[in-house]
Amino acid sequence: MEHVKLFVMKFIITFVILFLILGGGFKISFGDVFLISFVLSLVGYATGDRIVLDRAKNITTTLFDLVFIFIFIYFMTGAISTSLDVFTASILSTVSLAIFEYFFHQSVVRTLESDDDPEGEASVPNGNLRTEASQELTPYKNKDRN
């Protein structure tokens, strides 16, 4: 259920940002902005927030999202409209969404960590780890072997 909440939150905020920039500034229709936002949120959540964020840090994931968002918006707006400055629209949208993604990743990590730990405590090692070591390689000395 947490994934649905996170996806819906990502979609709504992505839609608002893109509607203000693409719809308000570049006159892209409501339906087209809705389609771009939905597909971008769906693919971005599946790849960036679930796969890359699990394996990398927030900054790395945000840089991945920055490149992904730019390519996605550039090609989608280019396919939808031929009369606007696609590069400028993509840059403005990408920078705005990348700022949002940086804070969204923090929310994803907090939500999913608390979801994994039913007691509400994150399981972070405290640094007091121990290992066993010994000096001999075999348990017996050579003098008793005959």
Side-chain angles (χ1 to χ4, degrees), residues 35-100:
L35 178 67
I36 291 170
S37 301
F38 183 76
V39 176
L40 180 64
S41 298
L42 186 65
V43 175
Y45 185 76
T47 58
D49 301 328
R50 295 296 303 139
I51 296 173
V52 177
L53 188 60
D54 286 344
R55 293 169 174 78
K57 295 182 180 183
N58 189 5
I59 296 293
T60 307
T61 308
T62 303
L63 291 175
F64 169 81
D65 283 336
L66 186 101
V67 172
F68 171 73
I69 290 167
F70 177 78
I71 292 170
F72 186 84
I73 291 177
Y74 184 81
F75 286 113
M76 286 293 285
T77 55
I80 290 171
S81 175
T82 58
S83 64
L84 67 100
D85 185 13
V86 175
F87 185 76
T88 305
S90 300
I91 289 290
L92 290 173
S93 300
T94 299
V95 169
S96 301
L97 287 174
I99 293 169
F100 157 68

Side-chain angles (χ1 to χ4, degrees), residues 28-39:
I28 294 181
S29 71
F30 179 85
D32 291 339
V33 173
F34 186 87
L35 178 67
I36 291 170
S37 301
F38 183 76
V39 176

Side-chain angles (χ1 to χ4, degrees), residues 7-28:
F7 171 75
V8 169
M9 183 172 75
K10 180 176 181 134
F11 168 69
I12 289 171
I13 295 174
T14 300
F15 175 74
V16 168
I17 291 171
L18 289 180
F19 187 72
L20 290 173
I21 294 172
L22 297 178
F26 293 94
K27 307 294 186 235
I28 294 181

